[in-house]
């Protein structure tokens, strides 16, 4: 469901193969859910069961899984398999079984909400847009620890997407300073952003309006 699940794709793939399943992603990785549904349908699958995996504050709501699946089902040309969707997310697939998650799964009918909504028509009124580097070095050096801490700190301060918009990016180049984030329109760059620094950025930069100078990177 989220970028955190993309980071553990190898483990999820192993668990899926053990029970004859496959892995697809809602965002930031391939195969996308739509691509995997197409592959299975083209191979003649008559029924496909979907179980969402996502834990913590980075996972989007469960409603996105049937929403995306229904969009594919409505747009599908030719044979359309029956799609069953588990009614809850698996937080820890190492401890929870797919069979339990699928108990009470509901079929896609095509009447699920569309991908568009009046609430998503306009750019949000956020004051800060935060670019969170997820390049190979930043990821290897624990970028997700800072991201999780930042999300939790924002929740504690009552900040939403209308205040601070978080965007995951590829490499932002000052890799020796990893993990790196940059904040616009302030044009402030931070390096070595671990969980502790991320919490300080929320409190001092986003809330109080003063950059955290100890981790601010100089601009040429």
């Amino acid at each position: 469901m989220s970028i955190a699940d993309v980071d553990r794709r190898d483990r999820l793939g192993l668990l899926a193969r053990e029970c004859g399943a496959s892995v697809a992603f809602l965002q930031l990785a391939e195969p996308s859910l739509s691509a995997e549904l197409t592959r299975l349908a083209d191979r003649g699958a008559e029924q496909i069961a979907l179980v969402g995996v996502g834990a913590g504050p980075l996972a989007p709501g469960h409603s996105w899984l049937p929403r995306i699946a229904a969009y594919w089902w409505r747009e599908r040309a030719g044979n359309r398999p029956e799609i069953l969707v588990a009614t809850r997310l698996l937080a820890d697939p190492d401890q929870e079984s797919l069979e339990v998650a699928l108990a009470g799964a509901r079929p896609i009918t095509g009447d699920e909400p569309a991908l568009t909504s009046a609430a998503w028509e306009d750019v949000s009124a956020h004051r800060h847009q935060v670019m969170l580097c997820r390049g190979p070095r930043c990821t290897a050096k624990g970028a997700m620890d800072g991201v999780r801490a930042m999300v939790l700190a924002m929740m504690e301060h009552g900040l939403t997407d209308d205040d601070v918009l978080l965007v995951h990016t590829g490499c932002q180049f000052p890799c020796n300073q990893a993990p790196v984030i940059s904040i616009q329109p302030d044009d402030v760059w931070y390096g070595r952003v671990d969980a502790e620094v991320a919490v300080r950025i929320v409190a001092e930069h986003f809330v109080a309006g003063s950059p955290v100078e100890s981790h601010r990177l100089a601009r040429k």
Side-chain angles (χ1 to χ4, degrees):
M1 298 289 287
S2 73
I3 192 168
D5 304 304
V6 175
D7 286 343
R8 55 176 176 162
R9 65 184 304 161
D10 291 342
R11 178 58 182 161
L12 292 176
L14 177 61
L15 293 171
R17 288 190 294 273
E18 289 176 352
C19 58
S22 59
V23 177
F25 299 92
L26 284 193
Q27 54 184 320
L28 298 169
E30 295 292 337
S32 67
L33 176 58
S34 294
E36 184 63 6
L37 289 173
T38 297
R39 184 185 74 83
L40 294 172
D42 288 346
R43 291 180 58 185
E46 297 181 355
Q47 184 184 79
I48 301 171
L50 301 179
V51 178
V53 178
L58 300 182
H62 175 272
S63 63
W64 276 105
L65 188 57
R67 186 188 292 265
I68 298 298
Y71 171 79
W72 176 86
W73 195 84
R74 287 190 294 263
E75 296 292 314
R76 168 74 176 175
N79 67 303
R80 293 191 297 187
E82 179 185 24
I83 299 180
L84 301 175
V85 183
T87 56
R88 66 179 183 87
L89 298 180
L90 280 184
D92 187 355
D94 282 301
Q95 302 297 326
E96 303 170 274
S97 72
L98 294 181
E99 290 77 9
V100 172
L102 283 169
R106 297 174 182 173
I108 292 296
T109 64
D111 295 327
E112 292 76 11
L115 295 187
T116 57
S117 166
W120 305 325
E121 185 69 24
D122 302 316
V123 177
S124 70
H126 55 273
R127 170 64 182 85
H128 298 101
Q129 185 164 349
V130 183
M131 310 296 185
L132 306 157
C133 181
R134 292 307 314 279
R137 296 170 187 83
C138 287
T139 299
K141 290 192 173 184
M144 279 306 299
D145 294 336
V147 173
R148 291 189 185 93
M150 182 169 287
V151 171
L152 291 172
M154 286 175 54
M155 293 170 63
E156 290 179 0
H157 285 278
L159 300 177
T160 69
D161 288 345
D162 287 329
D163 304 294
V164 180
L165 184 63
L166 302 181
V167 179
H168 296 270
T169 78
C171 181
Q172 296 188 44
F173 293 112
C175 305
N176 293 344
Q177 311 294 335
V180 171
I181 72 171
S182 58
I183 299 175
Q184 302 300 337
D186 301 7
D187 195 22
V188 172
W189 293 60
Y190 290 113
R192 297 182 172 86
V193 180
D194 59 15
E196 181 181 351
V197 175
V199 171
R200 289 184 59 196
I201 290 171
V202 173
E204 298 176 29
H205 191 152
F206 300 162
V207 177
S210 298
V212 180
E213 296 296 340
S214 59
H215 287 263
R216 187 173 181 174
L217 301 180
R219 291 270 278 137
K220 291 184 177 179

